[in-house]
Amino acid sequence: MSLYTSLVRPALFRLDPEFVHHATLGLAGTLGFAAGPMRFFSAVDDRRLPVTVAGLNFPSPIGLAAGFDKNGAAVPFLAGLGFGFLELGSVSSEPSGGNPRPRLFRLPDDEAIVVAYGVPNQGADRVAARLAGQRHRVPIGLNIVATNRGPNAPAEPDDAIIAEYMIAARRLAPVADYLMFNLSCPNTCDGRDFFADRGRMSAWLDALDAARLDRRPVFLKVSPAGGIAGIEQLLELCDAHDTIDGFMFNLPSTKPAGLKTPESVWKSLPGAVAGPPAAAVLDECLVECYRRMDRSRYVLLASGGVSSPEDAYAKIRKGASLVELLTAMIYQGPGVVHRITVGLADLMARDGVKSVSEVVGADVR
Ligand SMILES: Cc1cc2nc3c(=O)[nH]c(=O)nc-3n(C[C@H](O)[C@H](O)[C@H](O)COP(=O)(O)O)c2cc1C
């Protein structure tokens, strides 16, 4: 048991989850000056860990998933925790208040979080202005989404939604090392998967071609809901363009099977389940996509229940070149980043693996 799990977590878990999220992020934002000394403790100098993906050099494959630092408020501190990269956002072209509260819930029996935020954020202009001129030791990804204008807003035409992505991307590309387009937010669009539609997805890819985003690597975060047919359609459409560098899968919008938490607790909660219960569905998509995609063109990023070095290593061996986590930080504290990174290097050493790229997809080829 760590100090975090024995003392800090019990205190934090007495408070409202969204309040704790904002408070910890606010604190992290003020502690940026400590990033240098923090790196002394958090940096893991192991030649097995650095990985090059889409032309970018990542000091380790373990990154922060989108949703923790939506507005880029605490980048130096988060980088100081030892992450190999940070994905910020989701950010939309216009500011958004997200969904009505309450919209964040804990399921401690499952070490999970139910998230129904609905992508609140300060908008692309403010986030781009905050990040402008900052330099970081790790790659920074910007996760981009369409603006959530609330449950009562009139439906927007398809081309307006597509245009919104491109407006946000043009503003954010100059401050990003890579762009992750969130085409799948499980908590908006009334649960509709807008991009499951072939015509819309095709129109979106055409718009991306036309946008010419400063040659930033572009990844798509897509819904797992379409299963194998959805993956095959996505790959077929992307194959016809040369703008996409890879994919990852977002949380399913339905509650996963096998939760330890009683149904009476989670049944009425809005939102998607993050943490270990999300792993099975997301890993299945990871493997199916890895097997089908043209590996000379695309890479995969993966998240969903990464709480240990074994989880991270397994995702890499199932096809992920980069692995992200979020919920494990809430349950295990910020030290989890260092623990997973050190443990991953140890597992690779145990197996005689010299680099991450050597072992990507090793279990499913
Ligand atoms: C509180 C919270 C907020 C999130 N917000 C976003 C978001 O804004 N955009 C996004 O693409 N994913 C978001 N996610 C999903 C995460 O990026 C990640 O894919 C998912 O949580 C699985 O990883 P985990 O099990 O390590 O949490 C959010 C997840 C959580 C728990």
Side-chain angles (χ1 to χ4, degrees), residues 17 21 63-70 87-91 103-105 111-121 143-145 180-187 221 248-252 272-279 282 302-307 315 323-330:
H21 185 183
L64 175 69
F68 186 77
D69 189 357
K70 291 169 182 292
E87 192 168 310
L88 309 177
S90 297
V91 184
R103 51 195 183 174
L104 199 62
F105 313 89
E111 302 223 337
I113 295 289
V114 183
V115 51
Y117 262 139
V119 289
N121 73 94
N143 180 306
I144 294 171
V145 76
M180 174 71 75
F181 286 94
N182 179 357
L183 302 184
S184 54
C185 185
N187 307 311
K221 193 165 181 179
M248 77 180 289
F249 292 90
N250 208 344
L251 295 169
V273 177
L282 296 182
S303 69
V306 173
S307 325
K315 279 198 175 7
V323 174
E324 300 180 351
L325 63 86
L326 199 169
T327 304
M329 270 215 312
I330 298 169

Side-chain angles (χ1 to χ4, degrees), residues 18 52 135 137 154 156 201 270 295 317 335-336 342 350 360:
E18 184 163 351
T52 301
R135 293 180 67 83
R137 285 172 172 264
E156 283 181 81
M201 187 66 210
R295 294 175 213 151
R317 297 186 65 102
V336 72
V342 171
R350 179 197 70 187
V360 169

Side-chain angles (χ1 to χ4, degrees), residues 247-325:
F247 310 98
M248 77 180 289
F249 292 90
N250 208 344
L251 295 169
S253 53
T254 52
K255 303 284 184 297
L259 289 172
K260 293 178 198 134
T261 308
E263 186 172 338
S264 56
V265 174
W266 55 257
K267 196 156 189 186
S268 58
L269 299 180
V273 177
V281 169
L282 296 182
D283 285 3
E284 213 178 302
C285 290
L286 172 68
V287 170
E288 297 301 344
C289 193
Y290 181 79
R291 287 199 171 125
R292 286 167 174 75
M293 71 185 193
D294 177 348
R295 294 175 213 151
S296 67
R297 291 178 64 158
Y298 306 121
V299 293
L300 293 169
L301 291 80
S303 69
V306 173
S307 325
S308 68
E310 288 76 12
D311 295 334
Y313 192 43
K315 279 198 175 7
I316 292 169
R317 297 186 65 102
K318 286 176 183 171
S321 295
L322 297 168
V323 174
E324 300 180 351
L325 63 86

